Amino acid sequence: GAFYIMGDFSDIYEGTNLDFSKWLIREHGVASIPPSSFFSDEHQHIASQYVRFSYCKNDDSLHEAVNRLTNLR
């Protein structure tokens, strides 16, 4: 599985989310994904000021999450 968080960059950068993603990598060494590529042309505006960040968990954390979710039954 994968984990993602969306971040609004509108207070710190003017431009497209693709431009922001490139700027963030170039200037700060942090990778993000412009989520507008996941939206249809009609809905591009929804993601225009956001980027998506992925983060990973180790296996122990994921197993613990499974155990906790299993106990919800």
Side-chain angles (χ1 to χ4, degrees):
F3 301 91
Y4 302 99
I5 189 168
M6 301 283 280
D8 181 340
F9 63 85
S10 61
D11 286 344
I12 58 172
Y13 188 88
E14 290 186 26
T16 68
N17 53 19
L18 178 59
D19 291 339
F20 177 75
S21 292
K22 290 178 181 180
W23 173 82
L24 195 60
I25 291 169
R26 185 176 57 250
E27 298 297 323
H28 299 281
V30 175
S32 63
I33 301 163
S36 57
S37 60
F38 299 106
F39 288 78
S40 66
D41 290 341
E42 178 184 355
H43 295 103
Q44 289 283 316
H45 67 279
I46 295 170
S48 66
Q49 299 298 304
Y50 289 87
V51 289
R52 187 173 87 155
F53 297 96
S54 176
Y55 59 96
C56 302
K57 296 287 187 184
N58 62 40
D59 287 347
D60 290 338
S61 295
L62 293 174
H63 289 298
E64 179 61 23
V66 169
N67 289 336
R68 291 179 184 191
L69 292 173
T70 301
N71 290 331
L72 292 176
R73 287 191 232 170

